[in-house]
Amino acid sequence: MVAKISTGSSMFGALAYNQEKVDNGEAKVLFSNKMQLDEDGHSSIGGCMRSFEMQMPVHLSTKKPILHISINPHPEDVLSDQQLSDIAREYMRKLGYGDQPYLVYKHEDIDRHHIHIVGLRVDENGKPLNDRFEHRRSKQITRELERKYNLHPAERKERAERPELKKVDYAAGDVKHQIGNTVKAACYGYRFQSFGEYRALLATCNVCAEEVKGKINGRSYQGIVYSTTDDKGEKVGNSVKASRIGKSVGYEAVLCRMEKSGKTIKDGKLKERTRKIVAAAMQTARNRQKFEQELKRQGIDVVFRQNDSGRIYGVTFIDHDSRVVLNGSRLGKEFSANVFNDLYSDVQTGQTENVAPQRRQGQDCTQQPHTAARLPVSGLGGVFGGSSIGEEPPQDTAGQKRKKKKKRTRRIE
């Protein structure tokens, strides 16, 4: 069982995110604590807001009085609504929020049913309740609940299946080992369908990946070279050939990963979560900074690519919850680079970057991550529609690259 705790300032955002799933038949209210809801358990966002506002102190000593917790059992643990309610109630009591007003939702939008809890984390004087060592205490509580309800230790299993993605620190030394750990975690912990998406993911960890092509003794070859970058995106130190790290992160292995990822993303409908969250952020964010912040809270990094004149010609989303990397055009034309250029072309963040298929030594090779929030999601329709002129050109699929490689090789032989 894994519990994720987040705090914020917007009660509406937390409620709207859950209420939309209820309206779409993807979630339901399990129970409430010290809340005024309809007898059937259903209530509008306005009704929930009024119930919380009546109990919200006038003067607050914190900017983040809202608590939003998700509790995720292991996929093999099938729990009844009563069991989930008991777990939520006991978890909140042991964490110190048992006497607070809160709502518990059960989400059924994915096979792994889980619960979300929205509540207040301040007392009647507006002071935050004791949150010292909260995450450590939360882990202890989930372990106790796993034993009590005979559940699978989901956290340990998830950690073993998903290597941690760490940023490379050149100053820390042993750069080759650091790069190796990072690229392996990225290649096999995330799903991507193009080399550009793979590079965007690695760039958030201060690693630059470049394709290299050439001929040796009349035979064509293709490979990958990995480099370390600083936080500004400039290369630091020497590059490392993929062959020095291992075949598992070499050119052929990455192509194979692309092919498998494409099928998994399609069959598992893994784009939907990212699409809904991005659509909601585009509707509610007033500027690029707000857009990035809203996605960040929801576990999504967004990488904008801009040319020297500041025009946005590419955008990539990295969903750390679904573990997928998606260029904006894959989500639909309403998420193309042109749309974001029209929305945010007048915003200069000072953290933009250009990414090209080939780079000279010393050129900027990173893609700074930008990210942000848990807000209501709804179809974007044609509101932000537009052509994809200016989007980075489509890349060959892994299968097409293999065919081209074979054709070149035959001609040479």
Side-chain angles (χ1 to χ4, degrees):
M1 178 185 298
V2 179
K4 298 179 181 179
I5 304 173
S6 62
T7 59
S9 59
S10 173
M11 175 61 74
F12 178 82
L15 289 174
Y17 168 77
N18 288 280
Q19 186 61 44
E20 182 167 14
K21 291 187 178 293
V22 172
D23 295 341
N24 292 335
E26 299 175 335
K28 63 181 178 181
V29 177
L30 284 183
F31 73 94
S32 63
N33 189 63
K34 294 190 175 182
M35 296 282 295
Q36 295 181 358
L37 297 180
D38 298 338
E39 292 182 359
D40 59 2
H42 296 286
S43 181
S44 64
I45 294 179
C48 293
M49 285 289 292
R50 286 190 293 273
S51 183
F52 276 118
E53 287 173 351
M54 287 190 296
Q55 303 178 74
M56 180 78 76
V58 177
H59 301 290
L60 297 172
S61 59
T62 177
K63 294 181 179 179
K64 297 182 177 181
I66 311 304
L67 184 71
H68 195 164
I69 300 173
S70 67
I71 300 179
N72 305 270
H74 189 278
E76 296 179 13
D77 292 325
V78 181
L79 302 173
S80 66
D81 290 356
Q82 185 59 54
Q83 287 175 313
L84 289 172
S85 297
D86 292 342
I87 287 173
R89 191 175 286 107
E90 188 169 350
Y91 176 89
M92 292 294 281
R93 177 177 60 80
K94 290 186 174 182
L95 197 60
Y97 297 106
D99 294 329
Q100 294 294 102
Y102 62 83
L103 273 168
V104 179
Y105 298 87
K106 177 186 178 182
H107 285 211
E108 302 171 329
D109 52 332
I110 57 178
D111 291 338
R112 175 177 50 78
H113 291 181
H114 55 287
I115 56 178
H116 281 247
I117 306 171
V118 179
L120 298 181
R121 56 183 293 266
V122 293
D123 59 20
E124 62 275 8
N125 298 316
K127 296 182 179 180
L129 299 181
N130 181 20
D131 59 356
R132 191 176 183 185
F133 306 119
E134 190 168 70
H135 291 277
R136 186 186 305 175
R137 290 189 289 115
S138 174
K139 288 183 179 180
Q140 180 61 38
I141 294 169
T142 55
R143 283 193 285 267
E144 292 174 359
L145 292 172
E146 285 170 353
R147 290 192 293 268
K148 179 176 179 179
Y149 291 90
N150 194 27
L151 305 177
H152 291 80
E155 182 181 10
R156 288 189 289 275
K157 182 177 180 64
E158 182 179 53
R159 186 182 292 127
E161 292 178 345
R162 293 181 174 181
E164 185 178 356
L165 196 63
K166 292 183 178 180
K167 181 178 288 189
V168 173
D169 180 6
Y170 180 79
D174 198 6
V175 174
K176 175 188 169 185
H177 182 70
Q178 287 191 67
I179 292 177
N181 288 340
T182 297
V183 297
K184 289 175 183 177
C187 188
Y188 296 98
Y190 287 76
R191 299 178 180 90
F192 47 89
Q193 300 172 78
S194 71
F195 194 76
E197 290 171 340
Y198 181 50
R199 284 192 328 208
L201 173 62
L202 288 175
T204 64
C205 299
N206 285 1
V207 175
C208 174
E210 298 175 278
E211 290 183 271
V212 292
K213 302 178 181 179
K215 289 185 178 181
I216 297 180
N217 298 326
R219 299 177 69 91
S220 299
Y221 72 87
Q222 288 180 291
I224 300 177
V225 172
Y226 297 102
S227 308
T228 308
T229 64
D230 58 22
D231 289 335
K232 294 181 180 179
E234 298 178 354
K235 290 183 180 179
V236 181
N238 298 322
S239 300
V240 179
K241 293 182 180 179
S243 59
R244 293 186 59 201
I245 299 173
K247 291 184 178 180
S248 62
V249 291
Y251 186 78
E252 292 294 330
V254 172
L255 287 183
C256 183
R257 181 63 177 169
M258 291 180 201
E259 288 184 353
K260 291 182 178 179
S261 295
K263 186 177 187 305
T264 303
I265 291 172
K266 181 179 179 180
D267 294 346
K269 299 181 179 180
L270 299 183
K271 293 192 297 186
E272 297 310 308
R273 175 187 183 275
T274 309
R275 189 182 191 281
K276 288 181 180 179
I277 294 173
V278 173
M282 292 173 71
Q283 288 179 309
T284 58
R286 297 188 301 274
N287 53 49
R288 174 167 162 177
Q289 183 180 16
K290 293 292 185 182
F291 176 71
E292 294 165 353
Q293 291 173 349
E294 290 172 10
L295 291 182
K296 185 69 172 179
R297 285 188 56 203
Q298 191 70 342
I300 298 177
D301 281 339
V302 53
V303 177
F304 289 107
R305 291 178 294 284
Q306 296 181 244
N307 59 23
D308 293 338
S309 64
R311 180 180 179 81
I312 297 174
Y313 68 86
V315 59
T316 303
F317 300 97
I318 303 171
D319 191 327
H320 297 288
D321 188 65
S322 300
R323 311 286 279 198
V324 295
V325 186
L326 300 161
N327 282 335
S329 55
R330 293 194 192 277
L331 298 178
K333 65 180 182 180
E334 60 267 43
F335 303 95
S336 68
N338 249 21
V339 172
F340 287 102
N341 185 69
D342 292 340
L343 285 174
Y344 305 131
S345 60
D346 59 336
V347 179
Q348 301 296 325
T349 65
Q351 294 182 333
T352 60
E353 82 297 333
N354 290 303
V355 178
Q358 299 286 338
R359 294 185 181 278
R360 295 187 298 272
Q361 181 69 26
Q363 279 187 299
D364 178 10
C365 197
T366 64
Q367 304 176 1
Q368 293 286 358
H370 304 289
T371 37
R374 190 179 299 272
L375 289 172
V377 288
S378 57
L380 206 59
V383 177
F384 295 105
S387 68
S388 58
I389 298 175
E391 183 82 55
E392 63 177 333
Q395 302 185 36
D396 290 337
T397 64
Q400 290 172 329
K401 288 186 176 182
R402 286 177 182 275
K403 291 179 181 178
K404 288 183 178 180
K405 178 183 175 183
K406 290 180 180 178
K407 289 181 180 179
R408 284 196 298 269
T409 303
R410 290 196 193 99
R411 285 197 294 269
I412 292 171
E413 292 176 346

